[in-house]
């Protein structure tokens, strides 16, 4: 009996995994399985699909995948939501998956069905998948381009070094130059990013060290700063156009507000206003009760012959029209001063 080989936690049994993955294509010959650039792609074969690829809305992102879970488990699972056009699992150098994948269905409805079925799906005990719509970034941002490089040369180099370029937008200043490159697909942008990281510095030369990274979602106002738009075709070469300047308008600003509150924010704001009004009304009512009680106390003391004016000066309610108290000397000491009601106090035996 041959000895059993034990694989460490950082090593994948490639022979066993290959036999499991091979069964996917043997059982269904309408799909192909290839591995390239850190991802393994399970995709419809050319003879099994006619027409354009599904749109970006048909792709979902799958996260929180166990690192030892592969296509032989994931593909049959996600087929339950609809027909798969492509399934891409990200793989690292050790052979384990990187914890996420992309599944593209043939229709938008199937992608929505996959999100509904498999988001928070318990694939293992205490292990839930996360499934959401895929956001395909098709833009690459290149900064630190030598400012002396002509725009036509930048466009020509980007078309020569990468594929699926749709357009190049360039922004210039006195000492800097940057570009945003739009690609036809996310896959084309990902391949171009890897190629540009290695080739951009050598292509521009002169000690240039351009920085290449994914472009963040740009607002329309920010994109307008990239005024030069360049395209290249084999028939016409480089074509540069310049975005028109924004017309200066002297019309008064619109009367409509520049922001809107969400319904929950409006309700919260009204609730805070009502609570403040209720608090102010309660405080006013409490102050009125105190003033009424003090006035009745003063009148009662006056009816008992306790010196209405003097008692009002001591116990009068705030704001009442009373005679002002006698001015106190500068060295007034409340601990040794005579009590204002001393004449009405019966002296005790200790004071005799």
């Amino acid at each position: 009996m041959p000895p059993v080989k034990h694989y460490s936690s950082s090593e994948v049994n490639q022979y066993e995994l290959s036999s499991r993955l091979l069964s996917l294509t043997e059982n269904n010959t309408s799909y192909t399985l290839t591995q390239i650039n850190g991802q393994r792609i399970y995709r419809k074969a050319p003879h099994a699909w006619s027409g354009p690829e599904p749109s970006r809305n048909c792709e979902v992102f799958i996260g929180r995948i166990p690192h030892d879970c592969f296509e032989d488990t994931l593909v049959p699972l996600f087929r339950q939501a609809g027909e798969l056009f492509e399934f891409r699992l990200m793989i690292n150098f050790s052979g384990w998956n990187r914890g996420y994948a992309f599944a593209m269905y043939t229709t938008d409805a199937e992608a929505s069905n996959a999100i509904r079925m498999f988001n928070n799906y318990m694939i293992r005990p205490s292990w839930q998948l996360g499934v959401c719509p895929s956001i395909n970034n098709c833009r690459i941002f290149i900064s630190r381009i030598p400012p002396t490089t002509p725009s036509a040369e930048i466009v020509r180099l980007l078309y020569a070094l990468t594929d699926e370029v749709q357009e190049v937008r360039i922004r210039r200043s006195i000492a800097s130059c940057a570009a945003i490159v739009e690609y036809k697909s996310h896959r084309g942008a990902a391949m171009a990013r890897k190629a540009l990281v290695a080739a951009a510095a050598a292509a521009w030369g002169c000690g240039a060290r351009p920085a290449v990274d994914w472009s963040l979602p740009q607002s329309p106002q920010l994109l307008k700063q990239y005024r030069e738009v360049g395209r290249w075709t084999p028939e016409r070469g480089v074509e540069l156009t310049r975005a028109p300047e924004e017309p200066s308008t002297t019309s008064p600003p619109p009367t409509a507000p520049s922001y809107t509150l969400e319904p929950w924010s409006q309700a919260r704001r009204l609730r805070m206003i009502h609570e403040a009004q209720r608090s102010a009304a309660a405080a006013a009512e409490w102050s009125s009760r105190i003033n009424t009680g003090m006035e009745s106390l003063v009148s009662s003391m006056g009816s008992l012959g306790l010196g209405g004016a003097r008692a009002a000066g001591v116990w009068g309610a705030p704001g009442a029209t009373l005679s002002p108290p006698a001015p106190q000397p500068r060295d007034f000491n409340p601990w040794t001063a005579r009590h204002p009601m001393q004449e009405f106090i019966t002296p005790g035996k200790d004071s005799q």
Side-chain angles (χ1 to χ4, degrees), residues 55 138 187 200 269:
S55 64
C138 299
R187 185 183 297 105
R269 183 181 180 186

Side-chain angles (χ1 to χ4, degrees), residues 89-102:
L89 182 64
M90 304 299 122
I91 305 296
N92 57 25
F93 290 104
S94 63
W96 303 111
N97 75 69
R98 298 169 63 183
Y100 65 96
F102 297 89

